[in-house]
Amino acid sequence: MNDSGWTDLAGVVGAGGVFLFLIVVVWQIAATWRARMLAAREEQYKQLAMKYAQLLEDNVELHRRTLDELTQARGSIASMEKMMREIE
């Protein structure tokens, strides 16, 4: 091969190397971006799970209070019925 053949080959190999390098850089940037998005989504899921757990605890407490009030109401009604039967 003459000098211009080697120069052309070196230019083609150099250009191919540059394009390959750019492809790898873009690929890594995309992978990093995706990893950050997944981490952010995972953090949002954790926050949502914590919020759900808190709401569930609040709901259980509200249910317990409702049952206590219902039990008291039933007791009061039973007491009133007993008193009304005694009056009759």
Side-chain angles (χ1 to χ4, degrees):
M1 280 190 149
N2 57 20
D3 275 343
S4 85
W6 286 110
T7 306
D8 291 343
L9 182 60
V12 169
V13 170
V18 168
F19 284 124
L20 183 62
F21 176 75
L22 290 175
I23 289 170
V24 169
V25 167
V26 169
W27 189 280
Q28 289 301 317
I29 289 172
T32 302
W33 177 78
R34 182 171 182 242
R36 286 183 183 170
M37 294 302 291
L38 290 174
R41 186 180 307 163
E42 184 176 340
E43 183 62 31
Q44 288 175 344
Y45 284 146
K46 285 180 183 178
Q47 290 176 356
L48 187 61
M50 288 174 30
K51 184 177 180 180
Y52 175 75
Q54 182 62 44
L55 288 173
L56 186 60
E57 288 177 15
D58 293 347
N59 192 25
V60 168
E61 178 63 23
L62 183 61
H63 184 66
R64 186 194 61 77
R65 286 182 194 170
T66 303
L67 286 177
D68 288 346
E69 290 176 6
L70 182 59
T71 301
Q72 289 176 358
R74 284 181 178 168
S76 295
I77 291 172
S79 173
M80 286 173 47
E81 286 177 346
K82 181 180 178 185
M83 184 173 53
M84 289 175 75
R85 285 186 189 129
E86 289 174 356
I87 293 175
E88 290 178 354

